Amino acid sequence: MFSNNDKISIRQLQILLILTLFTSVSLTLPRITSEFADQNGWILIIGAAILTMIYSYIITTLGKMFPDQTIVEYSQKILTKPIGIIISSLLIAKLVLFGSLELRVFGELVKQTLLKNTPIEFIMITMLFTVVYLTRKGYEARARLGELIIFLGLIPIILVLIFALQDIELDRLAPFFTIKAKDFIAGSYYISIAMVGIESLYIAIPFLRNPKKVTKAVIHTVLFVAALNLMINFITIGLFGSAEAAREIWPVMAIMQVIELPGSFIARQDALMMSFWILTTFALINCYIFFITILTSRLIKSKEANWINLVIIPIVYGISLIPNNVPHTFEMMKKAIQTFGFAFVLPVPVVLLVVAKIRKLGVKDETNQN
Amino acid sequence: MKSFNELHNKETNKIELDLVKNLDKNIKIFEDFFNNCDDVIKKKFQIGEINSVWGYISYIDSMVNRDVVEDSILEQMIEEIKNVPKNISEDTNLFEFVKNYAIATADVKEINTFDEACLAVLSGDTVLFIDGFDKALKIATKGWPNRGVQEPDTEGVVRGSKEGFSEALRINTVLVRRRIRDTKLKVRQEQVGTRSRTDIAIMYIEDLARKEVLKEIDVRLHSFSIDAIYESGMLEELMEKEWLSPFPKAQVTQRPDKVASALLEGRVAIVVDNTPFVLLFPTTINCFFQSSEDYYQGFLFASFIRVLRYASAVMAVGLPGLYIALTCFHTSMIPSELVYSIAAARQGVPFPTIIEVLIIELEFEFLREAAVRLPGSIGSTISIVGGLVIGQAAVSANLVSPLVIVIVAITAIASFSIPNYTLANAYRIIKFWIILGAGTLGLYGFWLSILVVLIHLVALKSVNFPYLMPFVADDVNGGQDLKDSFFRLPIIYYRTRPIFAKKSERRRFKLNHK
Amino acid sequence: MKRIKIKGLIACIISLSLCGCWDKIEINDRGFAIGIGLDKIGEQLQVTYTIPNLPVITGQGGSGEQKFVKISEGKTIHEANKRFNLMSSNKLTFDHTKIIILGKGFLQDEVEMRKALDYLSRSPDYALSLLVFTTDKTAQEILEAKPNSDEPSSMFIDSMFSGTEAEELNDYKTTLLDFLISLIDTKGGGSLPLLSYKDKEIRMEGITVIKDYIECCTLSLEQLIPYNWIRGSGGGKKTIKKEEYIGKNITYQISQIRRNVEFKKSETKQGLDINILLEMEGDIIEHELSKDKNEDEDFFDEKSIKEMEKELKDGMEEEVNMLVKFIQAEVGVDVLDLSKDLKIKEGKLWEEIKDNWVEYFASANIHVEIVPNIRRIGMTK
């Protein structure tokens, strides 16, 4: 049963999804919502959650029709082979770009708060090497490490935030429901595609032991992450007010300086928060690199995937050094999200699904969604 | 005839020669093999008075139980059989007669080759050649000096049996048999080592252990050939695939009750002759934190002690690294008064913090090693002297700051409370890696080095079982294994066996309804 | 080849880690600034640092003062910090800074205030939970003061204001975060506690009100009492205010205040009508023993309690309305936190008038009504 079959269970997939969806936005989320809708930003999160649930439903339905194939294979089957190769290459390019930018953002944060004099290249390289060490061990190892990280990293964050709930001042969240429809749609749309991680479902489904229940599990996960983000948003804007939250680059980090844990002797917790952040960001960057490796190895049909890791390191590292400064990095991320973010969450899977249904490809899903 | 060097097979060191019917020829070959071995006793004697036949007996002095040899074999053969019965006409009858009637023990076997004969003599049995037959008799007379059953010195308990394994294979298997009186407990013996021919016994319960595990162990046992193994540790190292890892992939114990409970969970025990340490396969990291005493004391207290053990494991690894990371890089996390104390205490210390920590850590490692080598009472005195006096003197001479001594002492004590010695050793090595990581990049480096260790652990397997089993991949067994990890729940909650046993044989506890 | 690579890698790793690279600073090489004072002397900004004398302050021997007070000048705080490193052997660290004191001269300069606050929020070194104070003379004086023999004044002030033993002062405590938020929300308005050093004691003397980044006026201790009533416990603060009203012959201790604010657009002029209702729960703790043999005034029946409540009501309302007029006329900044209630209750109204809130506040018709409830009268009649 424990032979090296590299299969993971649904619960492990849920844990990995929580880690990636949560980490990709939550540090900067209050700032983004304040920029769109001031103190009503929390409504945007609900909207983004609904959109994400729609995306995940489509992608998992598509994936369940081809339970043993990743997007590389079934896109080549549904549309013709060249178009399939183009789609897969575009997905790989998108993952490379997002992974490098995420690495750069993380490195900037570590440099600002923890290690002021260390060159950022060193910080990024050490993280990249550790990530590659994990990718060589396979999907099952990654899932197990995810279980450990969520226990070590995410649960303390949630506990600390629960203590912060008592300090919220309600007036900073008022007036309620004065949001304009235009802001609502634009904000929800942006946040839903900034929450990267849904694309991992393209590749994860063949690695599951029993892929039948995956849709319901993913929807539960999205709801959970949305609830967490709501809590963070309430706490940040409740403590700071939307003007100050829009001014801070990483508002969640600033909260940590202000929260007073009862009975705690640690005066400033922001370095403590960074510890948890390092763990969860590690899981996120590992997600990117791992999927790049798997997709590339399936695309060029090589058996041994480990040398791809070594090739990826300089590429990702090089791209992450491109932005000149912190604002430029965030601008590049914003532009990248707005240009490439949407393509793979909605249009591509819808097209693939429709064409597959028309051509009657794939396995029919006979079981109920229970 | 080949010289006896060529008779030994080059690979397996076994002698490839059969016995012949002529006793004198057998004797000559036999004595050639044991040329220059003056501790081998040989005697040629007559069986019977009237129709006598020559017999030849051989054993190694002090390796046999002399009473059995003299009362049960020689006295029977020489005294009691005065007459070989007259109706003996064929050769086989005499041999059968001797085998069935003349020897007063039950453990008698026929052997045909010189290899078995020499091995029997070398194991402490007695061989009996009879003229005119190409077979010999091997009589069990083992009785060498032995330490007996004593208290295990590395795994002491306050409450519980104080029997520990000994160096004799048979005593060890007997101690386990006494605790499991089930016919399904199988003891399979094999020999490992071409020159040492060490007996090992593979013990398992037939309907509980998984077939894949048994098969895997067999494969690994036969995947190498070595001169000699002296201890189960060598066997453990030869049997594992990932020898680069400092973490032990087999659990080693000296206590029979631990082996018995492990067997009933579906695991496999390997007992090796000449060592009191028994190997248990497969193992997960959780098993290292369970001590047999936990199950004999009340569950609240045992849970408290368990949690303490896990906490001390964490401290044994991370405390020095955390200290370095916080004081050198991020002082904001330490409360103000403590920061001022640390800074004041460090005035005038010549070394950077990381060198200080390394100096004191290495000093403690030297002390521990020295305390093991010295005999009993001197050892404990030296460790006290070293720990207290040298530490105090170093502080007064302003070589190190006192807080470092406190931190390193707490780390050392924490690593003593881990029940398994090999795992504690693994932690001692990992600690240095984390100190290096924390010294380079502060808290960031601390977490990265811990991540590297975790990645290593997560992919580690012990006979194809994931090493971190109850903490990851727990839903494979329905979440049962986690009940015995951090807390020891009352026995009523342990209704099913852990993941090691076969799927069908899980239930082990049931309350009787009144 | 492989062996050489492995050996090289191990050598690199060990040498890198032992030398500690770029960020490692030994803890005894750091100079911890416990408190900072900002003053404006002439054209320069003068920054005062309190640095503890470590062996003395931790009781590990040594002699002399418990603290060092160092002064450095520059055009900005950052420049002053750098100049400090020119005269010190330790690296200045703000990890454990607890308080910032703004001197009177500093408060008069709008540009300095804006520059300093931007620096404090932008730099990751300073915690947002710093306590901010003002003083009526220079900050340097307070930081050099020795109220309790040798203890550094910064630590003294910090422990005055934090912890549960600081019941009275906890309400006035302003962190850097609170101050920044109110400055940004109201474009330059806020309030800070005022400390002064007189007769070898540091005491809190009132509240400084900041308007348009400049100090505008102060509220004295007497005015603070009705001020606290109006701010009440309705604003979400969790401390219980034990306020008193000391009338001519009675002391009424208030344990709970509930504030209810109603806003209406006024019919008479272009403005707002604001009605504040304060419901109080409290006890009588002080009275006079009667002098007159015949009159026996006691509170043991409902009627006299009701009479007393009416007297309290009149007295308190008079004080409060005086204060409100003072604030509207002289101060002009909404220190009463009325905008918070407006945001919660009448969201749409707030959206309309939020850009001109200052004028609306100054011209509003504010009427305060107090309903005191006496619950207990102590152990005697």
Side-chain angles (χ1 to χ4, degrees), chain A residues 99-101 103-104 124 315-323:
Chain A
S100 329
L101 288 176
L103 184 64
R104 174 64 185 266
M124 292 200 296
I315 299 180
V316 168
Y317 177 65
I319 298 184
S320 68
L321 288 178
I322 290 182

Side-chain angles (χ1 to χ4, degrees), chain A residues 14-42:
Chain A
Q14 277 184 306
I15 288 180
L16 286 175
L17 261 187
I18 291 178
L19 282 174
T20 40
L21 285 175
F22 180 70
T23 322
S24 49
V25 272
S26 47
L27 261 187
T28 53
L29 189 65
R31 170 166 64 89
I32 299 178
T33 57
S34 299
E35 281 170 3
F36 276 104
D38 289 334
Q39 73 276 3
N40 290 307
W42 57 278

Side-chain angles (χ1 to χ4, degrees), chain B residues 21 44 56 64 76 97-98 191 222 299 306 338 434:
Chain B
K21 288 204 174 160
K44 194 173 172 185
Y56 178 81
V64 297
Q76 298 291 323
F97 180 75
V98 168
Q191 288 178 350
H222 296 124
F299 81 96
R306 276 272 177 93
L338 191 58
I434 296 189

Side-chain angles (χ1 to χ4, degrees), chain B residues 5 27 58 76 107 111 114 119 135 155 210 215 270 292 310 316 322 334 341 347 383 394 401 421 505:
Chain B
N5 260 336
I27 292 179
S58 176
Q76 298 291 323
D107 192 353
I111 50 181
F114 268 108
L119 188 61
K135 304 183 273 203
E155 288 167 71
R210 287 181 191 244
K215 194 152 150 259
I270 299 187
S292 5
Y310 278 103
L322 195 64
I334 314 178
S341 299
Q347 303 271 10
S383 46
S401 75
Y421 181 64
E505 299 288 338

Side-chain angles (χ1 to χ4, degrees), chain C residues 69-86:
Chain C
V69 178
K70 308 274 186 184
I71 302 180
S72 166
E73 294 186 357
K75 290 211 237 357
T76 63
I77 303 185
H78 180 69
E79 195 177 324
N81 290 345
K82 288 182 75 154
R83 292 248 181 101
F84 180 83
N85 279 328
L86 292 176

Side-chain angles (χ1 to χ4, degrees), chain B residues 185-248:
Chain B
L185 170 63
K186 306 293 177 193
V187 178
R188 244 176 45 196
Q189 284 190 225
E190 295 196 3
Q191 288 178 350
V192 177
T194 52
R195 283 186 194 261
S196 69
R197 307 277 195 105
T198 315
D199 285 322
I200 67 171
I202 305 178
M203 302 178 73
Y204 59 95
I205 299 196
E206 189 171 20
D207 56 346
L208 291 181
R210 287 181 191 244
K211 290 216 169 30
E212 308 88 74
V213 172
L214 285 170
K215 194 152 150 259
E216 181 72 25
I217 291 182
D218 272 335
V219 163
R220 290 196 192 180
L221 266 180
H222 296 124
S223 66
F224 59 90
S225 106
I226 190 176
D227 260 0
I229 61 166
Y230 310 107
E231 217 271 345
S232 52
M234 295 176 67
L235 190 62
E236 182 190 349
E237 192 178 320
L238 289 167
M239 279 177 65
E240 59 188 28
K241 279 191 187 161
E242 296 157 28
W243 40 269
L244 267 183
S245 156
F247 288 94

